[in-house]
Amino acid sequence: MKLIGKNGPGSKPVTAEPDTEGWAQSPDPEGAEGLPGALPAQRTSGLADRRPSAGYGPDSLVHVSAQQFAAGIGPYAGRADAPGGEDPDQDGAGLDGATFERALAAREQAALESRHRQAADEGDTDAASRLGALLLRRGDLEDAEPYLRAAAAAGVRAAANNLGVLLHQQGHRAEAAQWWRQAAVAGSAPAAHALGLQLRDQGEEEAAEYWLHFAADHGHPLGAYALGDLMEHRRDVRAERWFKVSADAGHREAAYRLARMREAAGDKDTAETWYRTAAARSHARASLRLGVLLEERAQGDPALMEEAARWYRQSAQNGEPRAACALGFLMRDSGDLTAAAEWWQEAAEAGDGNAANALGALHAGRGEAAVAEHWYRAALDAGDQNGAFNLGLLCAGAGRDQQAEQWYRRAAYAGHREACNALAVVLLQRGDESGAEPWFSKAAEAGSVDGAFNLGVLHAGRGEQQQAQEWYARAAAEGHGEAALQLAVVQEQRGNLPGALERYRQAAGGGSAEGCFRLASLLDRRGDADTEAEHWYAVAADAGHRRAQVRMGVRAAERGALEIAESWYRRAAEAGSRSAAFNLGLLLARQDSEAEAMLWYTRAADAGHGRAALRLALLALRRGEPVQAENWCRRAADYGPAEVAERAGRLLGALHAELSA
């Protein structure tokens, strides 16, 4: 569309001033500070990274007061014979390079302003437009306004756009919109963009979409971005197209938003490409997300892990505390706790609660409770309720149960699901079942698998088996091994062995050592999966399951691997297994280590093992100690099982007869 009244009568033809590309921008979310009287903001305040070229808008330039301008020009502002002036042949004498360049630039700017002002005062509307733009960039709004008004009234499109910028900065938004509309009708994409943003902020989305569409169609990347933002806000699938147009033109926030959309759609490859585009333009959040994607698919690949760390580092250096936190975890996983602590501290001091919690856990693990408490409190101050929960754990570990309950309660009321569960456990332990149940329910409903499991335990304790099974099933579906174990036991009791095997496998996969043992036992009894049974016995035994360790010892002994058998028996016996102690005694006796065998028999018998007590009675008889033998017989008869009690009874009768004779 053409501008009405392009040049006034008598004006000499000049090249039209380019429209202001950068004036309708809002502050850059990645670090630029907002300017006084900023124009309507982008909803997500994204900016293109390139700076406008000379002659473009004031938002891209430093605002300098008239006094600062005069001080910068100094003695170079015009005639050499001006008061305080210096010999022009001495320009730059005694100045360093940077000072000279600034002075020279100020001198040239003053000369340009003088030429524009003279032409404008003689009626040249294009010169008035250029002078107004120059003054507007410098922040001299009062001086710029009459020149811009004169040029805009004469139909200079750029002046109309720039007058809109000036009025908007002064708070005269209605009049600003009128001038932007005039410039936009004349074909100004920046004016259409600014007008669209203002209409959007006034709730006139249909009109806003029209003008933003106009700006985007005329190659304005910020217009395309704002249009995409508006459409995404309305869940319009066309948003992606306009973000791509803006991103292709160099708009880093658009590239980031496009990447987020592709990631949400499950297209991580395309998302990674756009994250790279934005990250290459120093977009902090894009660098962070790129690092996350690379770490997710690294799977131990050192090259990808190193690249992820590089992007995290760039993001952190650009002011993103979450990236510093993520880099800390990466350093921790690589074994460098010192570097991890440094990055966590940087992130925590910038207000990242997750990093503060990580620092607290690091110090708590070292036994530095006071330092841990400091960082947990910092996390809480940052709004991370994990801080309150961790403070509860810290107090509970130190035996400060009342304080622990207070912290759990604070986190629980804030919606922390594990705090709800922990609070319920505290209440249940002191006998307040009615108080515990609502917190278990709240934890379970919020997704706590431990809460769901504990709620099942609560119902089972009341004999409410159906409700218990429902909660166990819910927890098992989320991978809770002990919940799956409870379901498996019920299936086995009902004779549903296939169902029991499935649940035992689920329990074993969820980390339940008892589930591993029971799975192995069931496979063992079935007799057709010996190798798999051995595997699960070994998994349970390695996890410290004493009966599994005994079973591993028995199987090793049956194969003649006596050293392996002895090793398993010792591990279980030293952990308190009386069966293992007895079996170890038998093994040692066969190896002619009678004295040590006696020690393990005694330990087993003292723990209530009937066969060990009977063996000690026989050994006492062999040594000619009938009274000692009688004592062990009595204990064997008491301990059982039935066959041992019967043998002990017969031996005790023989002893009585012998002692009576």
Side-chain angles (χ1 to χ4, degrees):
M1 287 175 272
K2 292 184 179 180
L3 178 64
I4 301 172
K6 194 168 185 179
N7 288 316
S11 298
K12 61 181 179 179
V14 295
T15 303
E17 179 183 356
D19 286 341
T20 301
E21 292 288 348
W23 292 6
Q25 296 175 0
S26 56
D28 190 334
E30 296 296 319
E33 294 295 325
L35 296 168
L39 297 183
Q42 303 280 1
R43 201 187 316 272
T44 55
S45 28
L47 289 181
D49 293 322
R50 64 177 180 82
R51 297 184 65 82
S53 59
Y56 282 30
D59 281 3
S60 65
L61 301 171
V62 177
H63 286 192
V64 183
S65 68
Q67 292 83 356
Q68 290 173 313
F69 183 65
I73 295 174
Y76 300 94
R79 296 167 23 225
D81 59 351
E86 298 182 10
D87 186 341
D89 291 338
Q90 299 299 319
D91 283 358
L95 300 176
D96 62 30
T99 303
F100 177 75
E101 290 295 333
R102 285 197 299 272
L104 184 59
R107 183 176 181 178
E108 292 173 349
Q109 184 84 344
L112 178 65
E113 179 181 340
S114 178
R115 290 196 301 271
H116 285 332
R117 191 179 295 273
Q118 182 178 353
D121 289 343
E122 292 174 356
D124 187 332
T125 53
D126 282 295
S129 175
R130 292 178 184 277
L131 177 60
L134 187 153
L135 295 169
L136 183 56
R137 290 189 200 99
R138 204 166 68 209
D140 291 345
L141 306 188
E142 186 176 347
D143 196 9
E145 185 174 351
Y147 289 104
L148 289 176
R149 282 191 180 278
V156 179
R157 187 179 74 181
N161 180 38
N162 293 343
L163 181 57
V165 172
L166 184 147
L167 291 167
H168 189 277
Q169 290 185 2
Q170 291 178 331
H172 306 308
R173 302 194 173 189
E175 189 180 357
Q178 292 174 7
W179 288 109
W180 277 332
R181 190 181 299 276
Q182 176 175 315
V185 168
S188 171
H193 170 237
L195 179 59
L197 291 180
Q198 180 153 309
L199 290 168
R200 182 204 66 190
D201 292 348
Q202 292 170 354
E204 300 177 45
E205 290 194 359
E206 186 174 347
E209 181 178 344
Y210 172 83
W211 287 113
L212 292 175
H213 212 299
F214 178 92
D217 283 340
H218 283 73
H220 196 284
L222 289 174
Y225 172 76
L227 182 58
D229 178 55
L230 182 66
M231 288 180 170
E232 187 185 35
H233 175 67
R234 298 197 313 224
R235 303 184 185 279
D236 190 323
V237 294
R238 294 175 295 167
E240 188 171 329
R241 171 199 169 192
W242 291 110
F243 281 143
K244 186 175 185 305
V245 168
S246 184
D248 285 337
H251 195 296
R252 64 180 184 176
E253 180 72 13
Y256 172 72
R257 295 281 292 277
L258 182 57
R260 293 291 290 184
M261 292 180 76
R262 294 317 308 153
E263 186 179 4
D267 184 3
K268 291 192 175 183
D269 290 340
T270 305
E272 183 177 324
T273 298
W274 285 110
Y275 281 137
R276 284 186 185 279
T277 300
R281 297 166 185 159
S282 298
H283 191 290
R285 285 168 292 150
S287 302
L288 169 62
R289 287 304 308 164
L290 179 56
V292 170
L293 287 185
L294 290 169
E295 187 179 356
E296 284 176 353
R297 68 180 177 88
Q299 296 183 343
D301 183 337
L304 284 177
M305 294 297 282
E306 184 178 343
E307 187 181 0
R310 187 166 68 251
W311 288 113
Y312 283 148
R313 188 172 287 106
Q314 174 177 302
S315 179
Q317 290 169 345
N318 284 329
E320 177 53 75
R322 291 175 297 172
C325 179
L327 187 55
F329 283 109
L330 211 59
M331 295 296 101
R332 181 203 64 182
D333 294 343
S334 69
D336 191 349
L337 288 180
T338 301
E342 290 173 355
W343 284 109
W344 282 334
Q345 184 162 342
E346 179 176 322
E349 288 173 349
D352 189 281
N354 193 26
N357 273 314
L359 264 182
L362 181 65
H363 288 288
R366 294 171 176 170
E368 300 164 355
V371 183
E373 183 170 342
H374 164 78
W375 287 112
Y376 287 150
R377 287 182 181 274
L380 188 57
D381 290 342
D384 190 331
Q385 293 302 323
N386 272 316
F389 176 61
N390 287 333
L391 283 166
L393 294 175
L394 196 67
C395 291
R400 292 146 53 192
D401 295 338
Q402 186 174 356
Q403 288 177 284
E405 182 180 338
Q406 290 172 353
W407 286 117
Y408 288 150
R409 195 175 292 276
R410 176 169 174 174
Y413 275 113
H416 192 290
R417 63 190 187 189
E418 299 309 329
C420 294
N421 180 62
L423 177 59
V425 169
V426 169
L427 295 172
L428 191 60
Q429 286 174 340
R430 70 165 182 243
D432 186 3
E433 184 177 314
S434 61
E437 185 174 358
W439 288 113
F440 278 138
S441 295
K442 188 173 182 179
E445 294 294 348
S448 169
V449 292
D450 287 336
F453 173 72
N454 288 335
L455 200 53
V457 172
L458 197 67
H459 284 292
R462 297 172 181 165
E464 300 164 352
Q465 294 304 323
Q466 183 176 349
Q467 294 94 320
Q469 292 292 299
E470 289 173 358
W471 285 110
Y472 287 149
R474 190 162 170 174
E478 296 298 323
H480 197 290
E482 297 304 319
L485 174 63
Q486 297 301 319
L487 295 170
V489 169
V490 170
Q491 293 298 321
E492 187 174 6
Q493 289 171 346
R494 292 174 178 172
N496 181 6
L497 297 188
L501 272 175
E502 181 183 351
R503 286 296 189 182
Y504 280 138
R505 290 185 195 283
Q506 189 177 6
S512 168
E514 180 68 17
C516 294
F517 175 73
R518 286 178 175 262
L519 173 58
S521 298
L522 189 54
L523 292 168
D524 208 359
R525 292 197 301 274
R526 210 171 65 172
D528 59 353
D530 188 67
T531 301
E532 187 182 0
E534 177 94 8
H535 166 74
W536 290 114
Y537 278 138
V539 171
D542 286 334
H545 193 284
R546 292 183 299 182
R547 285 192 295 162
Q549 290 169 342
V550 173
R551 194 63 60 88
M552 288 294 290
V554 170
R555 291 168 75 89
E558 289 173 348
R559 295 195 303 267
L562 299 184
E563 289 185 6
I564 296 175
E566 182 180 341
S567 173
W568 283 116
Y569 287 150
R570 281 190 185 278
R571 283 181 62 179
E574 288 168 356
S577 168
R578 63 188 186 184
S579 295
F582 175 65
N583 288 354
L584 181 57
L586 290 176
L587 193 62
L588 291 168
R590 291 171 190 161
Q591 295 172 348
D592 297 327
S593 299
E594 189 72 33
E596 188 180 0
M598 286 285 292
L599 293 174
W600 289 109
Y601 288 149
T602 303
R603 182 180 292 191
D606 287 342
H609 196 285
R611 287 188 174 85
L614 185 59
R615 180 59 60 100
L616 286 169
L618 293 171
L619 290 173
L621 278 176
R622 189 184 303 168
R623 292 195 306 270
E625 300 173 354
V627 175
Q628 190 72 10
E630 182 179 2
N631 289 336
W632 284 118
C633 274
R634 292 186 185 281
R635 291 176 67 176
D638 290 340
Y639 296 155
E643 59 181 47
V644 171
E646 183 182 350
R647 289 181 60 193
R650 291 200 302 269
L651 182 56
L652 195 58
L655 281 171
H656 281 162
E658 183 177 340
L659 291 171
S660 303

